[in-house]
Amino acid sequence: MKQLIALGGGGFSMEPKNPLLDDYLLKQADVSSPKICFLPTASGDSATYIERFYEGFRQKSCQPSHLSLFKPPTRDLRSFILEKDVIYVGGGNTINLLLLWKHWGLDTFLKEAYENGTILAGLSAGSICWFESGITDSYGDRLEPVKGLGFLSGSHAPHYDGERERRPMFQQLIRTKKIPGGIAADDGVGLHYRDGTLHTIVRSRPNVYAYAVHLIDGRLSEQQLEAIDLNEL
C-alpha cells in the first residue's frame, strides 16, 4: 500500500510539546521500530532544524536518521532511501527543494520508495512537493503557483489558518484556473493518503480543519472536512 501524510503544519518543528502528529505518523509504519529519515533540503540542510528533528524523535521507538545533500552520507542515495520505513520532509524553500532533488535523482528514488511501501510525509514545503501543484513563497516577496512532483493529484495549501495570505491566494489561483482544485490544511492537520486517495484527516488540537477547494460550475466552493482529533483517541 502506498501511504503519504501531508501536514498543513505542526509536528516536532512547530508543536514541539505536542507529539501527536509525529506519533501518528510513526504508527502507520506498522513495525516496532521504524527507520525514519528526515530530509531538511528545503531549509538548506539547517543544522538547527536537523537537531530539532533528533530531539523530537530520539526518545521515540524508532531509528532516526537524516539525509543532507550538502554532506551526503553515501554515493548510493537510492539504497539509502529505499531502506527507510518513513521519509519526513521539512519546510523551507519549495523551489530549491525540487531543483536539488531532481539534480540528485531523489525525486525518482522517492517515487520508487513510495511505490514499495515507504511512507512519505512532510510539512509546508514538505507537503506541497507531493502534489501536482501548490502555492509557495519561495521567491520571497509573494505567494505564487509551483508545480510539484504529482505523486498526489490536485493542488495543496498548507498553513491555511496560520498565514493570512494563504487562504485568499489559494482560492484566487483556483478561481482563475492557474492551479487545479485541491485541498488545504490548517496548522496541526494531517492528510493521510492511501493509494493516492485521501483516507483519513487527523488533527493535533481542536478547531483546525482541512478544506476541499474546487471550482464548481464556475463558482468557487470551499468545503470544511471532518478531522479526527488525536487528543480524543
Side-chain angles (χ1 to χ4, degrees):
M1 179 174 59
K2 294 185 292 186
Q3 294 194 80
L4 200 154
I5 302 173
L7 307 180
F12 73 92
S13 63
M14 292 184 67
E15 298 178 338
K17 295 183 179 180
N18 185 347
L20 291 175
L21 286 175
D22 292 340
D23 289 346
Y24 176 85
L25 193 160
L26 288 175
K27 287 178 183 177
Q28 308 316 307
D30 200 29
V31 294
S32 59
S33 182
K35 297 176 182 177
I36 180 169
C37 181
F38 180 50
L39 269 60
T41 316
S43 69
D45 290 348
S46 163
T48 302
Y49 203 2
I50 293 168
E51 181 54 34
R52 287 164 67 192
F53 164 74
Y54 283 110
E55 288 175 358
F57 282 89
R58 65 166 55 104
Q59 302 301 324
K60 299 182 186 294
S61 297
C62 65
Q63 301 174 57
S65 63
H66 74 278
L67 171 57
S68 168
L69 294 181
F70 291 87
K71 295 181 180 180
T74 174
R75 284 182 175 268
D76 188 3
L77 296 183
R78 176 179 176 272
S79 295
F80 185 86
I81 290 292
L82 290 178
E83 72 174 7
K84 302 299 186 284
D85 300 301
V86 181
I87 300 292
Y88 195 143
V89 182
N93 191 302
T94 309
I95 297 293
N96 288 345
L97 174 151
L98 292 168
L99 289 172
L100 281 168
W101 281 5
K102 289 178 181 179
H103 177 81
W104 287 82
L106 271 185
D107 54 338
T108 301
F109 305 150
L110 288 167
K111 185 173 184 180
E112 184 179 357
Y114 174 55
E115 292 174 345
N116 288 342
T118 296
I119 297 171
L120 303 183
L123 79 160
S124 196
S127 61
I128 295 169
C129 64
W130 309 119
F131 290 79
E132 286 182 272
S133 58
I135 55 173
T136 182
D137 57 1
S138 294
Y139 293 107
D141 57 348
R142 64 183 183 275
L143 290 165
E144 50 198 296
V146 61
K147 184 178 180 181
L149 296 174
F151 293 7
L152 298 174
S153 61
S155 61
H156 174 58
H159 308 308
Y160 209 50
D161 66 334
E163 299 177 6
R164 65 180 184 177
E165 301 90 354
R166 294 270 176 178
R167 191 175 208 145
M169 182 56 70
F170 191 55
Q171 294 178 357
Q172 178 183 332
L173 292 173
I174 292 173
R175 186 183 294 112
T176 56
K177 300 182 180 180
K178 292 182 179 178
I179 61 174
I183 189 162
D186 290 341
D187 291 336
V189 172
L191 310 171
H192 187 175
Y193 289 80
R194 291 185 178 179
D195 292 328
T197 300
L198 184 58
H199 178 267
T200 308
I201 302 172
V202 295
R203 63 188 183 193
S204 60
R205 50 192 169 87
N207 303 317
V208 290
Y209 301 93
Y211 301 84
V213 187
H214 296 279
L215 207 58
I216 300 176
D217 296 328
R219 301 186 66 179
L220 189 80
S221 169
E222 181 184 89
Q223 178 187 3
Q224 182 177 292
L225 304 175
E226 288 300 317
I228 297 171
D229 193 327
L230 296 173
N231 290 282
E232 298 176 358
L233 297 181

